[in-house]
Amino acid sequence: MIPFPDSPVAVLCSGGDAPGMNAFLRAIVRLGLNRHKVPVLGIRGGYRGLVRAAKQVNGEADELVRLKQEITANTGNRGLIDAKMSIIQMDHASVSGIMGKGGTILGSARCLDFHKPEVRRSAIQLLENLGVRALVVAGGDGSLTGAKLLAEESNLKIIGVPSTIDNDLQFTEMALGVDTAVHTLVWAVDHFIDTARSHRRVMVLETMGRESGDLARMAALASGAEMVITPEGGPLTEEAMIAYAEEIESAMTRGRGHAIVLIAEGVKFDPPQSRNGAYILRDAFQKYFQREGAPFQDLEVRPSVLGHLQRGGHTTPGDCILAARFAEEAWKAILDPNGSNGITALQHNKATIVPFGCPDLPERALSSVAMDRLHDDLSSW
Ligand SMILES: Nc1ncnc2c1ncn2[C@@H]1O[C@H](COP(=O)(O)OP(=O)(O)O)[C@@H](O)[C@H]1O
Ligand SMILES: O=P(O)(O)OC[C@H]1O[C@](O)(COP(=O)(O)O)[C@@H](O)[C@@H]1O
């Protein structure tokens, strides 16, 4: 049997899956094997999988030997098809044909237990006992916070890789998955437009994005949706919703027949509401259009919450390329003896490594404002 590899690099995907995670995995494994001759261990199911493996070993020498034997006996696809395997030694074939596939072949998870220092300690101990030289974590804000804590609490090299469709990480111009999610939203808008035009309707589409409106505003800019409402504009009051409805009605008066309105899931209401924004907006718009004496009383409003449709699907070339660039930066940081822990980032269109907790790029907020203005000026109504 081949021995367990010396000083491997471990990689995991955490938080919401993002298109581009597989392309990143392929790139980190292939660069490891082809360029750097360093083996890569894939950890299944994010921090949850790591913690599960740590629990199984429980610091016991014979359990550790058993885990290492299991890993060496089930490398690559053989390990991947066995759901019981938490850690898999990746080979060339195990990352073949996955580049464009959404999701992650390693699986991802949210793991509440990882907030506990003693749980992170057990994960660190397992990685140290396996001789891991560096852990690469692909994930969003929360996963990168977990990675920052691992970096502070261990001597392992920890590299984060921004992967979230939300684009809510302000130190990088783009995270993995954003380009694909925008592409998917443009596709969705193109489908909704057909019915909106045919029935002369207003379609209110709710996008993901947590507290950030970037995904919605990028999708609006790329699709030509007539209106976009983002959390950065502050809570939506009744008056603000009426003002939006007035804008639509006035466009209809000028001969427009339909409207696509994107609302980001992070938009809050004043007074606060518990329902999805798309439904609240639908009710407010419909009430306004049907008021006594209104010119378009038969104008129908239809809401849709686009949900996880936005997370899946074929990864765009833009995300595949960014994944390769991030993987290359990650390897540079791993192999640099003087290099420290950090997160890959795209700054001024250059892939680089920034320290954990690095400040926001001031251009990010400016670019959101600029996108809103551009969208307004490009809109024909
Ligand atoms: N403050 C934290 N301390 C330790 N681990 C965290 C912390 N925040 C998040 N994590 C870990 O990262 C996981 C993913 O975070 P989450 O915010 O759900 O998704 P994302 O990383 O995509 O933003 C969490 O389930 C948890 O395991
Ligand atoms: O899939 P879940 O657990 O319902 O989470 C939904 C959330 O995940 C996202 O799709 C992605 O967020 P993260 O990248 O931070 O995990 C958010 O836009 C959305 O609010």
Side-chain angles (χ1 to χ4, degrees):
M1 194 191 287
I2 37 160
F4 187 78
D6 274 341
S7 299
V9 163
V11 58
L12 63 81
C13 300
S14 167
D17 59 292
M21 280 178 164
N22 277 332
F24 175 75
L25 192 62
R26 171 183 180 272
I28 206 91
V29 170
R30 292 274 169 93
L31 284 175
L33 297 179
N34 298 347
R35 190 188 281 184
H36 303 298
K37 317 294 175 213
V38 178
V40 176
L41 301 177
I43 296 171
R44 273 250 177 83
Y47 293 133
R48 196 192 286 169
L50 181 59
V51 169
R52 194 187 306 125
K55 261 193 197 141
Q56 269 163 13
V57 171
N58 199 23
E60 290 179 27
D62 50 345
E63 287 299 327
L64 183 69
V65 170
R66 195 180 321 202
L67 175 65
K68 286 181 170 181
Q69 280 171 350
E70 193 181 53
I71 293 171
T72 52
N74 295 283
T75 54
N77 284 324
R78 200 180 155 130
L80 283 170
I81 57 167
D82 183 348
K84 292 191 299 300
M85 295 281 298
S86 301
I87 302 177
I88 294 145
Q89 188 177 340
M90 307 300 284
D91 57 15
H92 284 88
S94 64
V95 290
S96 270
I98 66 166
M99 181 153 64
K101 288 192 192 302
T104 151
I105 59 162
L106 283 181
S108 188
R110 305 193 199 275
C111 171
L112 277 183
D113 261 3
F114 215 67
H115 288 255
K116 298 181 193 150
E118 67 276 18
V119 170
R120 293 196 297 275
R121 184 66 231 150
S122 72
I124 291 166
Q125 195 185 20
L126 175 67
L127 292 169
E128 285 173 351
N129 287 342
L130 290 173
V132 164
R133 70 165 82 185
L135 173 69
V136 181
V137 174
D141 199 16
S143 306
L144 299 179
T145 305
K148 178 173 182 277
L149 291 172
L150 288 179
E152 287 164 3
E153 295 165 0
S154 74
N155 293 321
L156 289 165
K157 187 164 274 192
I158 309 285
I159 306 296
V161 179
S163 313
T164 168
I165 65 163
D166 300 342
N167 215 28
D168 56 352
L169 299 164
Q170 300 296 312
F171 59 83
T172 180
E173 279 147 22
M174 286 292 266
L176 283 182
V178 180
D179 190 58
T180 304
V182 170
H183 189 266
T184 305
L185 281 169
V186 171
W187 169 88
V189 168
D190 284 349
H191 282 66
F192 280 97
I193 269 183
D194 291 341
T195 302
R197 279 207 186 100
S198 307
H199 287 261
R200 299 177 71 83
R201 276 182 184 164
V202 176
M203 297 292 198
V204 180
L205 311 181
E206 184 173 315
T207 69
M208 283 186 162
R210 290 196 190 270
E211 304 304 311
S212 166
D214 258 30
L215 179 61
R217 62 169 59 86
M218 290 169 89
L221 196 52
S223 66
E226 279 72 21
M227 210 174 244
V228 56
I229 304 174
T230 56
E232 291 83 355
L236 264 192
T237 59
E238 187 74 30
E239 295 73 46
M241 288 191 277
I242 289 176
Y244 282 123
E246 278 170 351
E247 212 181 314
I248 295 172
E249 196 178 74
S250 138
M252 299 291 168
T253 311
R254 295 194 304 276
R256 293 286 300 197
H258 70 275
I260 302 284
V261 179
L262 298 186
I263 178 166
E265 67 174 359
V267 170
K268 303 271 186 302
F269 291 84
D270 176 14
Q273 306 268 349
S274 54
R275 287 186 306 152
N276 283 80
Y279 296 105
I280 298 163
L281 211 54
R282 184 268 314 266
D283 290 351
F285 283 1
Q286 200 70 83
K287 190 170 154 203
Y288 182 79
F289 297 141
Q290 288 173 350
R291 75 196 183 282
E292 219 178 302
F296 302 103
Q297 287 188 346
D298 57 353
L299 183 59
E300 290 174 322
V301 187
R302 290 285 192 272
S304 286
V305 177
L306 300 178
H308 292 85
L309 170 95
Q310 297 157 85
R311 285 235 296 261
H314 199 85
T315 311
T316 58
D319 270 328
C320 292
I321 292 167
L322 187 61
R325 293 170 77 191
F326 277 174
E328 187 168 49
E329 286 306 310
W331 270 113
K332 274 192 218 160
I334 291 166
L335 296 173
D336 179 356
N338 304 314
S340 48
N341 303 309
I343 316 179
T344 62
L346 191 70
Q347 296 198 333
H348 309 114
N349 205 20
K350 190 175 171 302
T352 183
I353 285 271
V354 297
F356 282 106
C358 97
D360 294 349
L361 277 175
E363 304 88 297
R364 277 300 311 274
L366 295 176
S367 130
S368 299
V369 174
M371 266 193 279
D372 286 345
R373 175 148 184 251
L374 200 48
H375 174 264
D376 284 351
D377 291 346
L378 290 174
S379 175
S380 64
W381 71 3

